Amino acid sequence: MSVVSVLSFKWVKSFWMIMLCMLSGIATGLYAPGIAHSVADFGDLYLSFLKMCVIPIMMTAIISSIGSLFINSGAMKTIGRMCLVYAAALIISGMFGLIFGEVGHPGAGLPEQSKQVLGAIVNDSSSNGSPVEEEKSQGILLFLLDMIPSNIFTALMENNTLQILFFSVIVGVAVGMMRTRQGEDVLQLADVLFRAFQKAISWSMYALPFALFCMMAGQFATLNLDILPAMLKLIMMFYLVSIVLIIVSVAVLSLQLRQPVRVVIGALKESLILAFGTRNSIATVPSCMHALSKELNLQSHAIQLVVPIGMIMCRYSMVLIYTLGIAFTAQLYEYDFTIMQWMLVLVGAVLTSIAGAGSPGVVSIGMIAIIAGMLKLPAEVTIILLLAINPIIDPIITAANVSINCATASLLSARKETHVQDQEISA
């Protein structure tokens, strides 16, 4: 016992160790870019391992939870609640984005020097032969066609999370509707595989501090710091609204679960740090499910369903980008919107974020052209500037995205009964 306690490596995963490694990575990226570039690949290697484990976790969690839902009945009521909560959370996030865009005026009153810097960035992007591709609205039918995989193995190879989600939902519904002993065996197998990959993820957390050092070093070594003064107001608005949404999410969790704020923060800190460091919401799915089910005592089957679906379909971070991005563009070109036009921005941001589910970040940002086109706003400049500041704002909006998804999960999941908690503790 004494040997095990002495050789325990739990300190490696401590909050202070993680923060020290992140700050060291930032300093290395800014002041020693050569070293940062040489270690960045190790961060990518760790992120690839997380993605390798996350996809099986996501598939088995959705299959087992949806299957159990259909076996026990009440599925349609749960699906209806999910749609209402997700829609409300997306709209509220969009409203926060518009309010901060209107109050902060990130695109208004820019000095002439800042406008020259922005113009130079746009011209440089055009002259490099990399024109911005503006995504056009493709309609609901093509969106549904893109969601259905013609080959599930191709979807797995391409890491197409939307198609993997659709396949997992169909398998879960089909197995649940069988209501046979064989179907229950399939669900039990999925649950075993889910726990096995969760164990692999828990092992990988010991390498998290070093991986975050490598990732932060690589990200900050490639930052274009020239854009900071010109886009400072917009960057500040992204950070402010994200921090406010994180605080609101923690408050919702605290009130819903009747837990002190410090307990909620303690449970979510690993997920938020992982989101900030990796800039990947999907990579935080195992950590979020562990925090909500094990540390905050929410029912596991519900969490295994709502967390993966929420992370893929409800991209609150993109809603913030669309609403603040449109507000910035309107102020930059001195457009005055009516209330109805702002409502159009809000609805367009929510629908576009859902339509872009599963798309890469660059493609998703380009989809702001859909909203800009409805309002007769020039989109190309906005897309170029958002892409330029994306490495700076992506960590905090990803953390906000994860915190909101955890809050919505708490609204959709009941707490475990006392005897269930006791059984898990004794196990």
Side-chain angles (χ1 to χ4, degrees):
M1 290 288 291
S2 61
V3 175
V4 174
S5 61
V6 170
L7 296 179
S8 175
F9 289 100
K10 286 186 177 180
W11 60 271
V12 175
K13 301 191 297 180
S14 69
F15 173 78
W16 297 111
M17 185 65 180
I18 291 173
M19 292 305 297
L20 176 63
C21 289
M22 288 180 67
L23 293 173
S24 301
I26 292 171
T28 303
L30 293 175
Y31 300 108
I35 298 175
H37 287 300
S38 64
V39 301
D41 289 340
F42 291 102
D44 294 337
L45 184 67
Y46 181 82
L47 189 56
S48 296
F49 177 82
L50 282 184
K51 290 179 179 178
M52 179 196 76
C53 294
V54 164
I55 295 301
I57 284 176
M58 184 181 73
M59 291 183 69
T60 53
I62 291 173
I63 289 171
S64 63
S65 56
I66 285 190
S68 301
L69 189 67
F70 274 83
I71 285 176
N72 298 325
S73 73
M76 297 311 297
K77 184 178 179 180
T78 302
I79 293 171
R81 280 189 64 206
M82 288 171 61
C83 292
L84 286 174
V85 171
Y86 288 150
L90 286 165
I91 291 170
I92 291 170
S93 301
M95 289 174 65
F96 269 93
L98 290 178
I99 290 169
F100 274 77
E102 272 295 282
V103 173
H105 287 89
L110 292 180
E112 194 61 34
Q113 185 179 1
S114 296
K115 291 182 179 180
Q116 291 175 1
V117 171
L118 297 181
I121 292 170
V122 173
N123 292 333
D124 183 58
S125 176
S126 302
S127 62
N128 283 338
S130 54
V132 178
E133 204 168 301
E134 299 180 4
E135 295 291 322
K136 303 297 182 184
S137 178
Q138 54 182 4
I140 188 67
L141 181 59
L142 287 179
F143 170 69
L144 293 175
L145 287 173
D146 288 340
M147 185 172 67
I148 301 173
S150 57
N151 187 324
I152 184 56
F153 297 104
T154 302
L156 289 168
M157 288 176 61
E158 295 176 351
N159 198 26
N160 191 319
T161 51
L162 185 62
Q163 293 184 352
I164 295 169
L165 170 67
F166 180 82
F167 174 82
S168 303
V169 169
I170 293 299
V171 172
V173 171
V175 173
M177 293 291 286
M178 288 170 60
R179 294 188 173 89
T180 62
R181 178 63 187 171
Q182 291 84 353
E184 292 178 3
D185 290 341
V186 170
L187 297 182
Q188 287 180 357
L189 175 61
D191 193 55
V192 169
L193 290 173
F194 167 78
R195 296 180 188 279
F197 279 99
Q198 264 203 326
K199 178 64 71 175
I201 288 285
S202 69
W203 293 336
S204 73
M205 288 298 107
Y206 288 100
L208 177 62
F210 175 70
L212 288 175
F213 167 82
C214 297
M215 283 186 276
M216 299 304 289
Q219 290 169 20
F220 276 81
T222 56
L223 279 183
N224 180 8
L225 297 179
D226 293 336
I227 200 173
L228 272 176
M231 300 287 286
L232 186 59
K233 287 177 70 176
L234 181 59
I235 294 170
M236 285 177 60
M237 287 304 106
F238 273 111
Y239 271 80
L240 284 173
V241 70
S242 298
I243 291 170
V244 168
L245 285 172
I246 291 172
I247 293 171
V248 170
S249 300
V250 170
V252 169
L253 280 159
S254 179
L255 292 171
Q256 177 71 11
L257 305 179
R258 297 178 183 176
Q259 295 274 13
V261 170
R262 59 179 176 79
V263 173
V264 174
I265 294 175
L268 293 183
K269 66 181 180 183
E270 185 178 278
S271 302
L272 294 178
I273 290 171
L274 191 61
F276 191 90
T278 62
R279 303 188 301 167
N280 190 308
S281 297
I282 301 298
T284 68
V285 168
S287 177
C288 291
M289 288 195 289
H290 174 82
L292 293 169
S293 62
K294 302 298 183 185
E295 298 187 42
L296 296 177
N297 297 319
L298 289 169
Q299 288 184 353
S300 298
H301 279 296
I303 291 300
Q304 291 171 18
L305 173 64
V306 298
V307 170
I309 290 178
M311 290 293 185
I312 294 171
M313 297 301 299
C314 302
R315 302 188 305 162
Y316 308 101
S317 55
M318 293 312 304
V319 173
L320 292 179
I321 285 180
Y322 294 149
T323 50
L324 273 171
I326 291 295
F328 172 82
T329 307
Q331 292 158 12
L332 187 65
Y333 289 96
E334 299 181 353
Y335 279 69
D336 288 324
F337 284 168
T338 63
I339 295 295
M340 290 304 297
Q341 286 175 313
W342 284 123
M343 291 289 290
L344 183 62
V345 173
L346 178 60
V347 174
V350 170
L351 294 179
T352 304
S353 69
I354 296 172
S359 302
V362 175
V363 175
S364 297
I365 290 176
M367 292 179 71
I368 198 174
I370 298 172
I371 308 168
M374 293 188 295
L375 300 163
K376 310 300 181 184
L377 281 174
E380 184 174 353
V381 172
T382 307
I383 297 171
I384 293 172
L385 296 178
L386 286 174
L387 289 174
I389 66 170
N390 191 53
I392 303 173
I393 64 172
D394 204 17
I396 192 64
I397 62 175
T398 304
N401 188 66
V402 168
S403 67
I404 299 170
N405 268 298
C406 289
T408 56
S410 72
L411 296 173
L412 293 165
S413 310
R415 297 205 68 188
K416 294 175 185 174
E417 297 178 8
T418 306
H419 72 276
V420 175
Q421 295 180 33
D422 293 339
Q423 287 176 3
E424 291 193 355
I425 291 171
S426 61

